[in-house]
Amino acid sequence: MTTTPPLETAVLVQAAAKRRSLFRRLLTNPQGAVCLVFLLFVVFLGLSCSWLAPHGPNVTDLSAVDASPFSSGHLLGADSTGRDILSRLMWGARQTLLACVVVLVVSVVLGVTSGLAAGFYRGRVDAVLNWVSDVVMSTPGVILLIALYARTGSNIVAAMAVYGLIVAPSYFRLVRSVVLGVRSELYVDAAKVVGLSDRRIVGRHVLWAVRAPVVIQSSFVLAAGIAMEAGLGFLGLSNPAKASWGGVLQEAFGNIYNNKAGVLWPALLISLTVLALVLLGNALRDVLQSSAHSRTLSPRRRRELTRQAQEQRQSTTTDPAAAPAEAVLSIRGLRIGYPDGENSVREVVHGVDLDVRRGEIHGLVGESGSGKSQIAFSTLGILPREAVVLGGSIVLDGKDLLADDQQLRAARGRRIAYVPQEPMSNLDPCFTVGAQLTHGLRAVKKMSKQEAERELLRLLARVGIKDPERVFRQYPHEISGGMAQRVLICGAVASNPDLIVADEPTTALDVTVQAEVLELLRELRDERGLAVILVTHNLGVVADICDTVSVMRDGRIVERSDVAALFESPAEDYTRELLSSARRVEIAEV
């Protein structure tokens, strides 16, 4: 007797739990649940027709010719030969299910396999498979199926297999485009470095990335398979001895003047099934993507937590007079959590208080995962979708931005601006630098395009760009990372905000450009009286530019002080650890 090792057992249990969670999440989606129930009902009717159908597919009742719906013994009526329409639709579901399975299997096997090979290996393999795909796509599908009928007769399996071959290029092009993007990711290179074979890399990393697009494409292919099978039956190319949805529709359409209701049932069944497949594919794609990226709370639990946070804000409204008079922004009791299951939340920011004064550069420093960026993102209202604000307030001019989404939207881009960590990824490669800056400025200020361009060219020169007109016409890939960061700083200050949130703005830059960007932020602060929240893990940056610093650890501010006092005599052990670690790094670099 063999026993399963404990580790393997744990992995199997975890995989089963994940599958159950995925299915449960799909059922909590109203659209997905309704479509799934309908499709399962159709499948059940098709598989159970042998013992549930009132009559056989070709049993005729001459006394019921063109019987109307809900007549005796014929719930949906009968056709021109007295055959029960409900029974024929149930028996025809078998033919439809078979057609769907054949189309899906052939197209997925051929299209996904060739797309993986072309995207991963590229070169000659990609060129040959692309040529084959183009040839297949240029083939007129309906004409090919009609020609096939002349050779094989009404062989629905052969016809649907050929249709699957015709559809396969849609999978090929979709998968190839995704794999081309995934292949250049660093984690794929890392898998090669550790010695994984191409087969394992494709099966473990690349194939996992294409599952969601393949799922949604499969829903369209299944819907197209139903439509094609029904179309062939409607054209009379199916086997007349076997019931099919297209055959029922063809017979009803030919007898429409004698029995108008007969056309309704097959047309309605085909339409609803196609619609349900497409909507189910969209719902399943959303579930797959959400389960791959993060855990999610149940909607009921999220509404409950949001209501509790609103009640807390109402009961503990921040008094504007309690904040320093010179404070631009006051944060009180901010708590942020993330899902740790469908009904549980893991709190990552625990009751943070923070005041940012006008003309002050306030540094938020701490190790990775301490909650620095969570505070910055909550100030901007750009927390991830799965994040939940559990309590607290963010007050700007006496108004709580967390309590009023309209106030937050009105402040964002006008009163509060943002300088991101990755300058190149925050510029759209499809538009020139000038087009993006102009669009952003005109969205928050009422001015003509010419006025906006003049103002932006002046600001580009101010932030140290030597040839503003040339940069204004260039695309993001044509400028350097340091220049891109200056462009983003220009866009941030163009609306003349009161506060700038800079999330590690120098991390992606080299040392000399870092110093220039920091000096630019200091000069803009002095010129415009800006308040700045600077999120960083670099204590050298803090010592160079910040006036005040808050040290964070595990979602809490453990120490707050002037920069000079903090470096001379830190009060907390954790702060001393950070300072000593930074000194050791500096010595090692020297």
Side-chain angles (χ1 to χ4, degrees):
M1 180 178 178
T2 59
T3 59
T4 305
L7 180 58
E8 186 176 343
T9 302
V11 172
L12 292 174
V13 171
Q14 184 178 8
K18 186 175 181 179
R19 287 193 296 269
R20 288 195 298 269
S21 176
L22 179 67
F23 183 70
R24 192 161 51 244
R25 215 184 326 265
L26 180 62
L27 290 181
T28 57
N29 184 316
Q31 173 180 297
V34 171
C35 294
L36 182 61
V37 169
F38 176 79
L39 291 173
L40 289 176
F41 177 70
V42 172
V43 172
F44 171 75
L45 289 181
L47 297 178
S48 63
C49 61
S50 299
W51 62 88
L52 286 185
H55 306 278
N58 296 312
V59 175
T60 60
D61 181 5
L62 297 180
S63 63
V65 172
D66 291 332
S68 60
F70 309 109
S71 60
S72 177
H74 301 283
L75 182 62
L76 301 183
D79 61 15
S80 59
T81 60
R83 294 175 295 185
D84 183 64
I85 294 178
L86 174 60
S87 300
R88 287 181 59 77
L89 289 176
M90 292 177 65
W91 285 94
R94 281 190 174 184
Q95 190 87 333
T96 301
L97 292 175
L98 177 62
C100 288
V101 170
V102 171
V103 170
L104 185 63
V105 170
V106 172
S107 59
V108 167
V109 170
L110 295 178
V112 173
T113 303
S114 59
L116 289 171
F120 191 79
Y121 292 107
R122 296 186 294 186
R124 183 173 298 177
V125 175
D126 187 20
V128 172
L129 291 176
N130 258 309
W131 180 83
V132 172
S133 173
D134 292 341
V135 170
V136 174
M137 291 187 69
S138 64
T139 304
V142 175
I143 295 177
L144 182 62
L145 291 175
I146 294 175
L148 179 68
Y149 177 78
R151 293 286 301 172
T152 64
S154 55
N155 188 334
I156 194 65
V157 175
M160 290 298 101
V162 171
Y163 184 66
L165 174 64
I166 297 171
V167 173
S170 64
Y171 280 107
F172 169 79
R173 291 184 175 275
L174 175 66
V175 173
R176 176 183 174 274
S177 63
V178 176
V179 174
L180 285 175
V182 173
R183 189 182 186 278
S184 60
E185 294 291 342
L186 295 179
Y187 62 82
V188 174
D189 293 336
K192 292 180 181 179
V193 170
V194 300
L196 292 183
S197 64
D198 290 348
R199 180 177 58 83
R200 294 190 65 183
I201 293 174
V202 171
R204 178 64 183 89
H205 297 287
V206 180
L207 188 59
W208 187 255
V210 303
R211 72 197 190 285
V214 168
V215 166
I216 188 62
Q217 181 69 14
S218 297
S219 66
F220 286 106
V221 168
L222 287 172
I226 292 176
M228 180 57 67
E229 189 275 335
L232 292 176
F234 185 77
L235 294 175
L237 302 183
S238 62
N239 189 346
K242 295 182 179 180
S244 67
W245 290 356
V248 175
L249 182 61
Q250 180 205 32
E251 200 282 333
F253 189 77
N255 193 41
I256 191 171
Y257 293 106
N258 297 323
N259 186 3
K260 296 180 181 179
V263 179
L264 173 64
W265 309 116
L268 187 63
L269 181 59
I270 293 171
S271 301
L272 290 179
T273 305
V274 170
L275 179 62
L277 280 169
V278 174
L279 294 180
L280 179 64
N282 281 280
L284 186 56
R285 177 201 56 189
D286 296 340
V287 170
L288 284 172
Q289 289 179 339
S290 64
S291 64
H293 295 153
S294 61
R295 297 178 178 178
T296 57
L297 285 173
S298 64
R300 181 183 59 82
R301 179 60 174 160
R302 179 175 289 275
R303 288 193 297 268
E304 179 183 347
L305 291 172
T306 303
R307 178 180 55 79
Q308 292 175 358
Q310 291 175 347
E311 292 175 353
Q312 180 190 10
R313 282 193 289 268
Q314 293 174 358
S315 61
T316 58
T317 303
T318 302
D319 184 4
E326 65 275 20
V328 174
L329 189 80
S330 293
I331 300 175
R332 291 292 180 269
L334 181 63
R335 297 168 53 233
I336 301 171
Y338 282 83
D340 196 21
E342 288 197 358
N343 293 310
S344 60
V345 176
R346 176 175 56 88
E347 191 170 313
V348 297
V349 175
H350 313 280
V352 166
D353 294 337
L354 184 69
D355 292 315
V356 186
R357 296 170 174 81
R358 190 175 301 279
E360 173 189 69
I361 299 180
H362 194 121
L364 279 179
V365 65
E367 61 189 5
S368 297
S370 60
K372 310 183 300 296
S373 295
Q374 299 300 311
I375 294 177
F377 292 163
S378 61
T379 302
L380 295 161
I382 55 173
L383 283 169
R385 288 187 60 185
E386 61 270 18
V388 182
V389 178
L390 302 173
S393 59
I394 299 178
V395 178
L396 179 70
D397 287 341
K399 297 176 181 178
D400 187 359
L401 301 182
L402 294 180
D404 190 346
D405 290 339
Q406 292 184 352
Q407 292 290 342
L408 178 60
R409 286 193 292 269
R412 190 165 51 201
R414 296 173 176 85
R415 304 287 308 282
I416 304 175
Y418 177 50
V419 178
Q421 178 178 354
E422 295 287 346
M424 298 303 293
S425 61
N426 282 269
L427 290 172
D428 192 330
C430 299
F431 300 94
T432 62
V433 168
Q436 296 181 62
L437 291 177
T438 303
H439 181 76
L441 181 57
R442 296 186 67 195
V444 297
K445 279 191 171 183
K446 292 183 178 180
M447 57 174 57
S448 66
K449 183 178 180 181
Q450 291 74 20
E451 291 173 338
E453 290 180 354
R454 285 195 297 268
E455 175 67 14
L456 289 168
L457 288 171
R458 183 184 67 80
L459 284 174
L460 285 174
R462 172 62 192 86
V463 298
I465 294 180
K466 296 180 180 179
D467 192 351
E469 289 82 3
R470 179 176 60 84
V471 173
F472 204 76
R473 297 189 301 269
Q474 287 181 319
Y475 287 88
H477 70 274
E478 298 177 305
I479 62 178
S480 65
M483 194 174 294
Q485 193 65 287
R486 292 175 184 273
V487 167
L488 292 175
I489 293 174
C490 167
V493 302
S495 61
N496 198 23
D498 298 314
L499 172 69
I500 287 181
V501 178
D503 183 18
E504 302 195 28
T506 60
T507 299
L509 308 176
D510 59 61
V511 177
T512 55
V513 178
Q514 283 185 23
E516 294 173 357
V517 170
L518 292 176
E519 181 61 27
L520 174 60
L521 287 175
R522 183 187 292 112
E523 291 175 359
L524 292 172
R525 183 273 310 268
D526 295 338
E527 289 178 7
R528 297 170 175 255
L530 292 171
V532 180
I533 297 178
L534 180 65
V535 177
T536 183
H537 62 274
N538 190 331
L539 290 173
V541 171
V542 172
D544 182 34
I545 193 174
C546 292
D547 305 303
T548 308
V549 59
S550 295
V551 181
M552 293 198 66
R553 183 183 188 184
D554 296 333
R556 294 180 174 86
I557 293 180
V558 296
E559 184 170 357
R560 183 183 294 109
S561 175
D562 293 338
V563 170
L566 183 84
F567 279 84
E568 290 176 3
S569 56
E572 296 292 328
D573 292 338
Y574 177 67
T575 307
R576 286 191 285 271
E577 290 178 12
L578 287 179
L579 292 173
S580 62
S581 299
R583 294 190 185 102
R584 286 197 297 270
V585 171
E586 290 173 359
I587 293 173
E589 290 177 348
V590 174

